[in-house]
mmCIF file of all heavy atoms in Angstrom:
data_model
loop_
_atom_site.group_PDB
_atom_site.id
_atom_site.type_symbol
_atom_site.label_atom_id
_atom_site.label_comp_id
_atom_site.label_asym_id
_atom_site.label_seq_id
_atom_site.Cartn_x
_atom_site.Cartn_y
_atom_site.Cartn_z
ATOM 1 N N SER B 83 -9.691 2.228 8.984
ATOM 2 C CA SER B 83 -10.860 2.234 8.069
ATOM 3 C C SER B 83 -10.447 2.558 6.587
ATOM 4 O O SER B 83 -11.232 2.356 5.669
ATOM 5 C CB SER B 83 -11.892 3.257 8.528
ATOM 6 O OG SER B 83 -11.234 4.560 8.601
ATOM 7 N N SER B 84 -9.228 3.083 6.394
ATOM 8 C CA SER B 84 -8.754 3.340 5.019
ATOM 9 C C SER B 84 -7.220 3.484 5.124
ATOM 10 O O SER B 84 -6.656 3.690 6.218
ATOM 11 C CB SER B 84 -9.349 4.603 4.460
ATOM 12 O OG SER B 84 -8.833 5.741 5.108
ATOM 13 N N GLY B 85 -6.627 3.476 3.983
ATOM 14 C CA GLY B 85 -5.164 3.683 3.931
ATOM 15 C C GLY B 85 -4.827 5.112 4.406
ATOM 16 O O GLY B 85 -3.833 5.288 5.118
ATOM 17 N N MET B 86 -5.671 6.071 4.070
ATOM 18 C CA MET B 86 -5.381 7.451 4.517
ATOM 19 C C MET B 86 -5.489 7.559 6.028
ATOM 20 O O MET B 86 -4.734 8.328 6.624
ATOM 21 C CB MET B 86 -6.307 8.455 3.804
ATOM 22 C CG MET B 86 -6.023 8.663 2.311
ATOM 23 S SD MET B 86 -4.275 8.522 1.752
ATOM 24 C CE MET B 86 -3.508 9.802 2.733
ATOM 25 N N ALA B 87 -6.473 6.836 6.677
ATOM 26 C CA ALA B 87 -6.565 6.895 8.125
ATOM 27 C C ALA B 87 -5.306 6.246 8.731
ATOM 28 O O ALA B 87 -4.818 6.705 9.764
ATOM 29 C CB ALA B 87 -7.802 6.129 8.600
ATOM 30 N N CYS B 89 -2.225 6.339 7.301
ATOM 31 C CA CYS B 89 -1.178 7.376 7.166
ATOM 32 C C CYS B 89 -1.308 8.456 8.238
ATOM 33 O O CYS B 89 -0.333 8.893 8.842
ATOM 34 C CB CYS B 89 -1.259 8.054 5.788
ATOM 35 S SG CYS B 89 -0.917 6.915 4.394
ATOM 36 N N TYR B 109 2.333 9.062 -3.345
ATOM 37 C CA TYR B 109 0.894 8.982 -3.630
ATOM 38 C C TYR B 109 0.237 10.340 -3.369
ATOM 39 O O TYR B 109 0.493 10.968 -2.315
ATOM 40 C CB TYR B 109 0.273 7.904 -2.743
ATOM 41 C CG TYR B 109 -1.227 7.855 -2.830
ATOM 42 C CD1 TYR B 109 -1.868 7.495 -4.019
ATOM 43 C CD2 TYR B 109 -1.994 8.151 -1.720
ATOM 44 C CE1 TYR B 109 -3.238 7.439 -4.091
ATOM 45 C CE2 TYR B 109 -3.384 8.070 -1.787
ATOM 46 C CZ TYR B 109 -4.005 7.735 -2.971
ATOM 47 O OH TYR B 109 -5.371 7.689 -3.058
ATOM 48 N N THR B 112 -1.376 11.121 -0.017
ATOM 49 C CA THR B 112 -0.456 11.237 1.085
ATOM 50 C C THR B 112 0.105 12.708 1.127
ATOM 51 O O THR B 112 0.162 13.343 2.183
ATOM 52 C CB THR B 112 0.743 10.282 0.985
ATOM 53 O OG1 THR B 112 0.216 8.925 0.816
ATOM 54 C CG2 THR B 112 1.646 10.313 2.175
ATOM 55 N N GLU B 152 7.780 5.412 -0.313
ATOM 56 C CA GLU B 152 6.802 4.626 -0.994
ATOM 57 C C GLU B 152 7.560 4.025 -2.133
ATOM 58 O O GLU B 152 8.243 4.719 -2.849
ATOM 59 C CB GLU B 152 5.672 5.564 -1.515
ATOM 60 C CG GLU B 152 4.532 4.899 -2.193
ATOM 61 C CD GLU B 152 3.561 5.977 -2.696
ATOM 62 O OE1 GLU B 152 3.169 6.859 -1.943
ATOM 63 O OE2 GLU B 152 3.229 5.851 -3.907
ATOM 64 N N PRO B 154 7.318 0.496 -5.023
ATOM 65 C CA PRO B 154 7.337 1.480 -6.086
ATOM 66 C C PRO B 154 6.241 2.531 -5.848
ATOM 67 O O PRO B 154 5.257 2.293 -5.163
ATOM 68 C CB PRO B 154 6.977 0.614 -7.363
ATOM 69 C CG PRO B 154 7.239 -0.797 -6.960
ATOM 70 C CD PRO B 154 7.008 -0.877 -5.503
ATOM 71 N N THR B 155 6.487 3.721 -6.463
ATOM 72 C CA THR B 155 5.513 4.814 -6.222
ATOM 73 C C THR B 155 4.336 4.777 -7.176
ATOM 74 O O THR B 155 4.382 4.228 -8.283
ATOM 75 C CB THR B 155 6.230 6.148 -6.444
ATOM 76 O OG1 THR B 155 6.783 6.237 -7.719
ATOM 77 C CG2 THR B 155 7.240 6.413 -5.361
ATOM 78 N N ASN B 156 3.277 5.380 -6.740
ATOM 79 C CA ASN B 156 1.999 5.446 -7.409
ATOM 80 C C ASN B 156 1.906 6.864 -7.964
ATOM 81 O O ASN B 156 1.884 7.828 -7.150
ATOM 82 C CB ASN B 156 0.837 5.177 -6.416
ATOM 83 C CG ASN B 156 -0.503 5.251 -7.003
ATOM 84 O OD1 ASN B 156 -0.658 5.517 -8.182
ATOM 85 N ND2 ASN B 156 -1.492 5.083 -6.167
ATOM 86 N N ASP B 181 5.360 2.901 2.713
ATOM 87 C CA ASP B 181 4.052 2.571 2.164
ATOM 88 C C ASP B 181 4.232 1.387 1.233
ATOM 89 O O ASP B 181 4.791 1.518 0.105
ATOM 90 C CB ASP B 181 3.457 3.812 1.462
ATOM 91 C CG ASP B 181 2.059 3.538 0.924
ATOM 92 O OD1 ASP B 181 1.652 2.363 0.701
ATOM 93 O OD2 ASP B 181 1.342 4.532 0.709
ATOM 94 N N THR B 183 1.987 -0.543 -0.184
ATOM 95 C CA THR B 183 0.764 -0.890 -0.876
ATOM 96 C C THR B 183 1.029 -1.515 -2.235
ATOM 97 O O THR B 183 0.390 -2.502 -2.608
ATOM 98 C CB THR B 183 -0.083 0.438 -1.078
ATOM 99 O OG1 THR B 183 -0.415 0.908 0.224
ATOM 100 C CG2 THR B 183 -1.373 0.100 -1.826
ATOM 101 N N PHE B 184 1.874 -0.990 -3.054
ATOM 102 C CA PHE B 184 2.171 -1.545 -4.407
ATOM 103 C C PHE B 184 2.797 -2.887 -4.371
ATOM 104 O O PHE B 184 2.466 -3.739 -5.201
ATOM 105 C CB PHE B 184 3.017 -0.534 -5.230
ATOM 106 C CG PHE B 184 2.199 0.408 -6.104
ATOM 107 C CD1 PHE B 184 0.953 0.902 -5.627
ATOM 108 C CD2 PHE B 184 2.644 0.810 -7.333
ATOM 109 C CE1 PHE B 184 0.198 1.782 -6.404
ATOM 110 C CE2 PHE B 184 1.880 1.671 -8.111
ATOM 111 C CZ PHE B 184 0.706 2.162 -7.662
ATOM 112 N N VAL B 201 3.010 1.031 6.193
ATOM 113 C CA VAL B 201 1.588 1.333 6.050
ATOM 114 C C VAL B 201 1.019 0.697 4.801
ATOM 115 O O VAL B 201 1.755 0.483 3.864
ATOM 116 C CB VAL B 201 1.303 2.894 6.072
ATOM 117 C CG1 VAL B 201 1.767 3.530 7.334
ATOM 118 C CG2 VAL B 201 1.901 3.529 4.890
ATOM 119 N N HIS B 202 -0.247 0.386 4.859
ATOM 120 C CA HIS B 202 -0.931 -0.218 3.696
ATOM 121 C C HIS B 202 -2.256 0.426 3.510
ATOM 122 O O HIS B 202 -2.971 0.751 4.438
ATOM 123 C CB HIS B 202 -1.204 -1.699 3.976
ATOM 124 C CG HIS B 202 -0.089 -2.593 3.650
ATOM 125 N ND1 HIS B 202 0.291 -2.833 2.363
ATOM 126 C CD2 HIS B 202 0.788 -3.265 4.446
ATOM 127 C CE1 HIS B 202 1.335 -3.650 2.344
ATOM 128 N NE2 HIS B 202 1.649 -3.919 3.582
ATOM 129 N N SER B 203 -2.575 0.601 2.188
ATOM 130 C CA SER B 203 -3.985 0.679 1.830
ATOM 131 C C SER B 203 -4.388 -0.768 1.551
ATOM 132 O O SER B 203 -4.044 -1.348 0.485
ATOM 133 C CB SER B 203 -4.145 1.517 0.572
ATOM 134 O OG SER B 203 -5.464 1.360 0.070
ATOM 135 N N THR B 204 -5.136 -1.397 2.470
ATOM 136 C CA THR B 204 -5.562 -2.787 2.266
ATOM 137 C C THR B 204 -6.656 -2.894 1.197
ATOM 138 O O THR B 204 -7.067 -3.981 0.782
ATOM 139 C CB THR B 204 -6.054 -3.426 3.561
ATOM 140 O OG1 THR B 204 -7.148 -2.616 4.118
ATOM 141 C CG2 THR B 204 -4.966 -3.458 4.634
ATOM 142 N N THR B 205 -7.159 -1.700 0.813
ATOM 143 C CA THR B 205 -8.107 -1.613 -0.300
ATOM 144 C C THR B 205 -7.595 -2.232 -1.554
ATOM 145 O O THR B 205 -8.376 -2.710 -2.373
ATOM 146 C CB THR B 205 -8.294 -0.094 -0.605
ATOM 147 O OG1 THR B 205 -8.481 0.641 0.607
ATOM 148 C CG2 THR B 205 -9.468 0.133 -1.553
ATOM 149 N N LYS B 206 -6.272 -2.252 -1.690
ATOM 150 C CA LYS B 206 -5.646 -2.619 -2.969
ATOM 151 C C LYS B 206 -5.344 -4.152 -2.964
ATOM 152 O O LYS B 206 -6.289 -4.942 -2.937
ATOM 153 C CB LYS B 206 -4.382 -1.775 -3.182
ATOM 154 C CG LYS B 206 -4.589 -0.290 -2.892
ATOM 155 C CD LYS B 206 -5.515 0.385 -3.812
ATOM 156 C CE LYS B 206 -5.955 1.813 -3.362
ATOM 157 N NZ LYS B 206 -4.853 2.726 -3.079
ATOM 158 N N VAL B 215 -12.745 -0.984 1.443
ATOM 159 C CA VAL B 215 -11.712 0.055 1.724
ATOM 160 C C VAL B 215 -11.111 -0.195 3.086
ATOM 161 O O VAL B 215 -11.887 -0.394 4.051
ATOM 162 C CB VAL B 215 -12.353 1.474 1.576
ATOM 163 C CG1 VAL B 215 -11.407 2.584 2.049
ATOM 164 C CG2 VAL B 215 -12.776 1.753 0.164
ATOM 165 N N GLY B 216 -9.831 -0.123 3.208
ATOM 166 C CA GLY B 216 -9.203 -0.325 4.533
ATOM 167 C C GLY B 216 -7.762 0.032 4.509
ATOM 168 O O GLY B 216 -7.154 0.300 3.480
ATOM 169 N N GLY B 217 -7.156 0.080 5.746
ATOM 170 C CA GLY B 217 -5.740 0.436 5.876
ATOM 171 C C GLY B 217 -5.151 -0.284 7.058
ATOM 172 O O GLY B 217 -5.915 -0.856 7.882
ATOM 173 N N SER B 333 -8.374 3.277 -8.342
ATOM 174 C CA SER B 333 -7.982 2.133 -7.512
ATOM 175 C C SER B 333 -7.187 1.153 -8.269
ATOM 176 O O SER B 333 -6.897 1.298 -9.435
ATOM 177 C CB SER B 333 -9.188 1.490 -6.834
ATOM 178 O OG SER B 333 -8.718 0.724 -5.741
ATOM 179 N N LEU B 334 -6.789 0.072 -7.599
ATOM 180 C CA LEU B 334 -5.820 -0.884 -8.148
ATOM 181 C C LEU B 334 -5.754 -2.095 -7.255
ATOM 182 O O LEU B 334 -6.345 -2.113 -6.149
ATOM 183 C CB LEU B 334 -4.425 -0.233 -8.188
ATOM 184 C CG LEU B 334 -3.851 0.162 -6.842
ATOM 185 C CD1 LEU B 334 -2.717 -0.710 -6.424
ATOM 186 C CD2 LEU B 334 -3.301 1.620 -6.922
ATOM 187 N N ARG B 365 -2.064 4.660 -16.417
ATOM 188 C CA ARG B 365 -1.685 3.691 -15.404
ATOM 189 C C ARG B 365 -2.515 2.456 -15.516
ATOM 190 O O ARG B 365 -3.762 2.507 -15.644
ATOM 191 C CB ARG B 365 -1.806 4.239 -13.973
ATOM 192 C CG ARG B 365 -1.245 3.381 -12.899
ATOM 193 C CD ARG B 365 -1.620 3.817 -11.484
ATOM 194 N NE ARG B 365 -2.982 3.510 -11.144
ATOM 195 C CZ ARG B 365 -3.588 3.877 -10.027
ATOM 196 N NH1 ARG B 365 -2.969 4.529 -9.127
ATOM 197 N NH2 ARG B 365 -4.880 3.504 -9.807
HETATM 198 C C1 PLP Q 425 -4.678 4.009 -2.418
HETATM 199 C C2 PLP Q 425 -3.413 4.327 -1.754
HETATM 200 C C3 PLP Q 425 -3.393 4.952 -0.546
HETATM 201 C C4 PLP Q 425 -4.657 5.417 0.197
HETATM 202 O O1 PLP Q 425 -5.451 4.317 0.644
HETATM 203 P P1 PLP Q 425 -6.996 4.364 0.740
HETATM 204 O O2 PLP Q 425 -7.338 3.002 1.210
HETATM 205 O O3 PLP Q 425 -7.528 4.782 -0.573
HETATM 206 O O4 PLP Q 425 -7.320 5.398 1.764
HETATM 207 C C5 PLP Q 425 -2.139 5.211 0.062
HETATM 208 N N1 PLP Q 425 -0.992 4.835 -0.565
HETATM 209 C C6 PLP Q 425 -0.986 4.289 -1.798
HETATM 210 C C7 PLP Q 425 0.265 3.938 -2.463
HETATM 211 C C8 PLP Q 425 -2.182 3.979 -2.453
HETATM 212 O O5 PLP Q 425 -2.162 3.456 -3.640
#
Side-chain angles (χ1 to χ4, degrees):
S83 55
S84 70
M86 290 326 301
C89 295
Y109 172 65
T112 306
E152 184 184 311
T155 57
N156 180 2
D181 183 335
T183 298
F184 265 36
V201 301
H202 275 288
S203 168
T204 58
T205 313
K206 317 292 170 55
V215 170
S333 200
L334 62 106
R365 188 189 77 183

